[in-house]
Amino acid sequence: MSGGDNYLSELGPEELLGRSGDLTAVRDRLVELGAADVATELDEVLSAIAGYHEPDIENYREQVERRMAKIADVVRAVERAGSEDGRQVEEAVTRYRAGID
């Protein structure tokens, strides 16, 4: 997964355009950890990327910024956590779920 200065959660919408593979890896890890509801948010980001058309940049930017703001902590936790350590991710998912209830 990403790391260092290139955490997906810290990238802008335009920077995410070439990062579908990384976003998919985070999405898959969330599904493995039982957080399919958060993975659905990433599916929406991936759909926005797949449907991106330059004349519609403002709509794309708004959609991606809104979704990524909701899940940034979770995405960051997945990227930072080792493949065996899901505790940070679970805590971030719990915070995410508390914010949408």
Side-chain angles (χ1 to χ4, degrees), residues 1-3 7-10 25-27 29-30 33 35 38 42 68 70-96:
M1 307 243 179
S2 300
Y7 284 114
L8 296 170
S9 59
E10 297 172 5
V26 171
R27 181 213 170 280
R29 182 70 176 130
L30 288 168
L33 294 171
V38 188
L42 275 172
M68 290 301 290
K70 287 173 64 176
I71 60 173
D73 288 341
V74 177
V75 172
R76 189 176 307 111
V78 170
E79 290 181 292
R80 289 181 177 167
S83 60
E84 300 301 318
D85 181 18
R87 192 176 78 243
Q88 288 179 324
V89 177
E90 290 173 15
E91 291 169 1
V93 167
T94 298
R95 287 190 302 274
Y96 163 83

Side-chain angles (χ1 to χ4, degrees), residues 22-32 39-40 42-43 46:
D22 293 329
L23 289 165
T24 299
V26 171
R27 181 213 170 280
D28 292 348
R29 182 70 176 130
L30 288 168
V31 171
E32 288 172 10
T40 299
L42 275 172
D43 285 336
L46 288 163

